[in-house]
């Protein structure tokens, strides 16, 4: 039997070495198993690494296997887009164990080693099995043609992409996107529309300074280009099926999944209030559309929240969290929150303080917590 | 302490990319061929091929672009009868070159650790 507490302690010890850990892991992986190099991005900067962090965290949580199986199955199926096959798992496991051994020092005993090996085997099996099963149902990734590319202001583009075969997703989902200009780099974006008959997906992409993928999508992508799309990554923002009023807090392009949810709600309306925050009124890039929609749907309210500017009808000064809390009406709501990490954490604590049940706050954040 | 700039770069980029790696490989082979303990492993091999191979491998180990189409390390060394002392000696030369070329300590430590950790894939005899 695997001693999961010991694994977690062991991982804590190793993870304390920070960036040295992925550096060692990838060196070891690519030296011993050169054939997997081509699955990874062209340049590897270790601090962006998610794989090693996830490996340690996931594998040392095997005692909680039932809870993580859905995540692992999705991750395994998702890994098909990287070209990860069952036969690659032993190479990654080998590099993981060598890395753990290297950083554990004397704490690396045969028992700890055996536990890691068993735990990795279990996780790898779940992921590889899920990948095999998914292979019967969905492609490893979807090619999608950009049919429209609309630049809004200096730092935003709205792309319409049509996958060549049906890509099933639900409003609130995010999918990952890779551009041929940035091979093997995948980033998450949220479809801004409920699924359509013609399968087309609208993406709102904000230009991030020096960002590899966002610059390609906003500045360099043109109609006719073909992007790769991955399957939906998690269900965090999927609409919960009940009759509670809906409170939406969005920052920047965090508006995208809210727009998809609003289209879904329109089919079965519930009282809904969207607070959408941006720097200025101009940066609320779908203002006319929202005002028009609000005028025709009495169940829907919209309040724009700007950092700089003056209040006007439907527009308040302040961030969406402050403005929503000022407005009140938070009792008994389901709250959906999406935006940058700082905004999301402020929203969560503010909502809880104002009496929203933490279990009724659903959120996605665009990026990692600042370190 | 790594600076915030170094944080965004791979070890390969921090060392100076392709030119640095090419120079490192050059110096590495000069040392190997001058060392009677290990030169025997290399004298009968086509050096340009080996150098290209080594540069590619080194760059990809350091997080540079994919360049290497080689086999698993173990397969590539099977049957060569490499012994541990010789392996250690070759590693020593590589680390000496990295140090000559000013590789920061964290990269040197990592390379040294990795070389140790793959020893069993390469070494077939203990003496
Ligand atoms: C679930 C989810 C859904 C997302 N949906 C959307 C969406 O609908 N629209 C959208 O535009 N983006 C969305 N993002 C963010 C997106 O995935 C990318 O992180 C973003 O486009 C930057 O990628 P890049 O390759 O351009 O930047 P990178 O090359 O990865 O990063 C460059 C630099 O910018 C910093 N950085 C990374 N992301 C951000 C950011 N968002 N803001 C400020 N600095 C950043 C990095 O730390 C790094 O220093 C989503 C993210 C997640 C996790
Ligand atoms: C137990 C086994 C594994 C776990 C838990 C795991 C987990 C992860 C996670 C969480 C990510 C980040 C995904 C994201 O950015 O959204 C990732 C990325 C990745 N994984 Fe895995 N993985 C495993 C095995 C493998 C294997 C066997 C391969 C194939 C060699 C592989 C190849 C990749 C690649 C290429 C990436 C993208 C890396 C990047 O963009 O820098 N993984 N993995």
């Amino acid at each position: 039997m695997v001693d999961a507490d010991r694994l977690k302690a062991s991982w804590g010890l190793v993870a304390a070495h920070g960036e040295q850990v992925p550096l060692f892991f990838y060196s070891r992986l690519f030296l011993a198993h050169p054939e997997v190099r081509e699955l990874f991005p062209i340049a590897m900067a270790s601090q962006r690494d998610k794989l090693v962090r996830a490996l340690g965290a996931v594998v040392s949580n095997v005692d909680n296997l039932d809870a993580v199986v859905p995540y692992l199955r999705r991750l395994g199926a998702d890994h098909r887009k990287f070209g990860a096959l069952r036969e690659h798992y032993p190479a990654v496991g080998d590099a993981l164990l060598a890395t753990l051994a290297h950083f554990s020092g004397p704490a690396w005993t045969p028992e700890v080693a055996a536990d890691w090996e068993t735990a990795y085997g279990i996780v790898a099996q779940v992921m590889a099995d899920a990948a095999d099963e998914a292979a019967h149902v969905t492609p490893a990734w979807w090619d999608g043609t950009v049919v429209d590319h609309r630049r809004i202001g200096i730092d935003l583009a709205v792309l319409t992409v049509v996958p060549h075969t049906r890509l099933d997703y639900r409003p609130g989902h995010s999918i990952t996107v890779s551009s041929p200009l940035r091979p093997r780099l995948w980033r998450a974006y949220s479809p801004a529309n409920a699924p359509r008959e013609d399968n087309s997906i609208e993406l709102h992409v904000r230009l991030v300074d020096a960002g590899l993928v966002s610059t390609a999508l906003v500045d360099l992508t043109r109609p006719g280009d073909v992007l790769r799309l991955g399957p939906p990554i998690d269900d965090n923002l999927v609409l919960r099926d009940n009759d509670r009023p809906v409170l939406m807090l969005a920052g920047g392009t965090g508006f995208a999944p809210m727009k998809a949810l609003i289209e879904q709600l329109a089919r079965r309306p519930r009282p809904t209030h969207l607070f959408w925050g941006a720097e200025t009124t101009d940066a609320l890039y779908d203002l006319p559309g929202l005002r028009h929609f609000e005028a025709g749907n009495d169940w829907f309210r919209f309040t724009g929240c700007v950092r700089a500017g003056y209040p006007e009808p439907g527009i308040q000064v302040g961030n969406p969290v402050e403005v929503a809390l000022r407005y009140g009406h938070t009792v008994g709501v389901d709250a959906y929150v999406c935006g940058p990490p700082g905004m999301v954490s402020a929203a969560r604590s503010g909502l809880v303080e104002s009496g929203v049940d933490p279990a009724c706050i659903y959120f996605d954040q665009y990026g990692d917590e600042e370190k | 302490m790594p600076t915030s700039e170094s944080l965004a770069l791979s070890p390969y980029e921090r060392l100076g990319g392709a030119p640095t790696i090419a120079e490192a490989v050059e110096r590495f082979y000069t040392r190997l061929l001058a060392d009677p303990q290990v030169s025997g492993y290399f004298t009968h091999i086509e050096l340009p091929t080996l150098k290209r191979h080594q540069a590619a491998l080194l760059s990809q180990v350091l997080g540079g672009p994919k360049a290497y189409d080689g086999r698993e390390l173990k397969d590539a060394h099977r049957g060569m009868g490499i012994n541990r002392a010789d392996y250690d000696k070759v590693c020593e030369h590589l680390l000496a070159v990295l140090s000559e070329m000013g590789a920061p300590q964290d990269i040197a430590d990592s390379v040294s650790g990795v070389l140790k950790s793959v020893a069993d894939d390469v070494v077939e005899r203990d003496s």
Side-chain angles (χ1 to χ4, degrees), chain A residues 39-41 50-51 54-55 75 79 82 84 89 92 120 123 127:
Chain A
L39 275 59
F40 289 84
K50 289 186 208 137
L51 168 56
L55 273 172
L75 189 63
H79 265 59
F82 299 133
Y89 282 82
V92 167
Y120 179 81
V123 168
M127 287 176 62

Side-chain angles (χ1 to χ4, degrees), chain A residues 174 187-190 204-206 208 211-214 253 365-366:
Chain A
S174 298
R187 298 287 186 266
Y189 297 94
S190 319
H204 299 175
V205 184
R206 158 104 44 216
V208 167
L212 291 166
V213 175
S214 62
T253 50
Q365 60 188 33
Y366 285 0

Side-chain angles (χ1 to χ4, degrees), chain A residues 28 31-32, chain B residues 73 87 113-123:
Chain A
R28 160 78 199 206
L31 181 57
Chain B
L73 196 65
Y87 178 79
V114 169
L115 289 172
K116 239 180 245 135
S117 95
V118 295
D120 289 342
D121 285 3
V122 176
V123 172

Side-chain angles (χ1 to χ4, degrees), chain A residues 74-137:
Chain A
R74 188 170 233 162
L75 189 63
D78 188 74
H79 265 59
R80 295 167 59 226
K81 77 187 180 201
F82 299 133
L85 303 173
R86 189 179 288 276
E87 60 260 35
H88 294 131
Y89 282 82
V92 167
D94 167 62
L96 174 67
L97 261 75
T99 305
L100 295 164
H102 176 72
F103 290 104
S104 297
W108 191 247
T109 62
E111 294 76 36
V112 173
D115 275 5
W116 273 109
E117 191 164 356
T118 308
Y120 179 81
I122 295 170
V123 168
Q125 171 101 36
V126 172
M127 287 176 62
D129 285 351
D132 287 349
E133 285 167 39
H136 295 294
V137 193

